[in-house]
Amino acid sequence: MTPEEEAIARAELAMNLRRQNVAGHKVLAALESVPRSLFLSAEHKALAYADRAAPIECGQTVSQPAVVAQMTEALELGPNDRVLEIGTGSGYQTAILARLAGHVYSVERYRLLSDLARERLSVLKLDNVDFLVGDGHEGWAEHAPYDRIIVTAAAAAVPEALVEQLVPEGILVAPVGAEGMVQELLKCRKAGEGLVGEHIADVRFVPLVPGIAGRL
Ligand code: SAH
């Protein structure tokens, strides 16, 4: 794609998301400020501004922009919020969180993905993000509690450690459901020791896999 073609594709995606009404002005402006092509490998850059999921390294996927917008909106981010993200992946969602929140802590089980995301965010001069290679089932206890938690891989249930690491009244957004099936995207609020959830959408995410990846 030439730079002109890329600018047109970006603007078309922005208009398309605005028409779908998936998120408010602030979230959409954050999406528009982040060049999605930076997060895709050369062979998949042509998919950068289509409103669909796309393959990334390590056999994973970057979410569809409309879903990224919906999940970000559901978090109701404030400028001072401390956010835990499980599933760094390409770092695209991380970059959008970093634009809207105070600080982002992002956990990924593949070192390669974590390292690539770190480089991409430094290109965008986003320095309010810390990365960890680890198992998201355990959250990131060192920096807990978090005002907001977002999980971008699907589990049968929200891992207990994440509930523990969320502040009272904090919001957690996660796809919940069996692998390979349609999952429920839930927006949950912490009430007492547990979560009260509401259904946002039907989605399909890669699974939350236990442990750190052995290779890569
Ligand atoms: N938000 C990402 C989506 C990546 S797909 C993006 O915008 O690109 C989900 C990611 O979750 C994958 O990179 C996968 O490796 C990661 N993942 C799966 N199980 C995990 C676990 N237990 N801990 C941390 N990351 C995990």
Side-chain angles (χ1 to χ4, degrees):
M1 256 200 268
T2 66
E4 290 75 20
E5 284 167 346
E6 175 157 339
I8 291 168
R10 262 179 96 166
E12 277 174 357
L13 174 62
M15 273 193 303
N16 173 4
L17 292 175
R18 279 180 196 271
R19 269 198 301 269
Q20 289 182 59
N21 229 358
V22 280
H25 172 74
K26 261 201 201 156
V27 166
L28 291 178
L31 256 83
E32 286 164 28
S33 75
V34 174
R36 194 164 177 255
S37 60
L38 178 64
F39 297 84
L40 291 168
S41 59
E43 59 182 318
H44 297 302
K45 279 201 196 298
L47 297 173
Y49 300 106
D51 189 14
R52 47 174 282 201
I56 58 172
E57 297 78 5
C58 306
Q60 305 302 309
T61 54
V62 52
S63 309
Q64 179 186 348
V67 174
V68 173
Q70 257 182 326
M71 291 179 82
T72 309
E73 183 71 29
L75 286 173
E76 300 181 18
L77 292 170
N80 298 319
D81 281 348
R82 301 170 70 255
V83 182
L84 174 66
E85 177 188 46
I86 305 300
T88 313
S90 66
Y92 177 64
Q93 170 81 73
T94 321
I96 289 155
L97 297 172
R99 285 258 200 259
L100 295 166
H103 202 97
V104 182
Y105 298 89
S106 190
V107 182
E108 166 60 53
R109 64 188 292 277
Y110 283 101
R111 177 166 301 280
L112 176 64
L113 291 177
S114 187
D115 289 349
L116 285 170
R118 184 195 302 272
E119 276 171 31
R120 290 161 180 160
L121 268 70
S122 77
V123 169
L124 295 178
K125 303 202 166 26
L126 293 168
D127 57 10
N128 56 338
V129 183
D130 283 306
F131 296 92
L132 175 73
V133 179
D135 182 355
H137 286 94
E138 292 162 20
W140 191 348
E142 189 185 347
H143 302 289
Y146 303 96
D147 301 300
R148 304 288 185 257
I149 300 182
I150 176 171
V151 187
T152 64
V158 176
E160 196 50 45
L162 302 186
V163 183
E164 282 165 17
Q165 292 173 22
L166 187 62
V167 298
E169 296 297 312
I171 298 175
L172 176 147
V173 174
V176 173
E179 187 179 341
M181 310 282 284
V182 171
Q183 303 126 9
E184 242 194 320
L185 185 59
L186 293 179
K187 171 179 180 175
C188 305
R189 219 174 256 280
K190 187 160 171 183
E193 298 297 299
L195 294 175
V196 179
E198 74 180 85
H199 172 102
I200 308 182
D202 288 334
V203 287
R204 223 176 247 275
F205 275 79
V206 297
L208 194 68
V209 179
I212 296 175
R215 295 183 304 126
L216 302 172

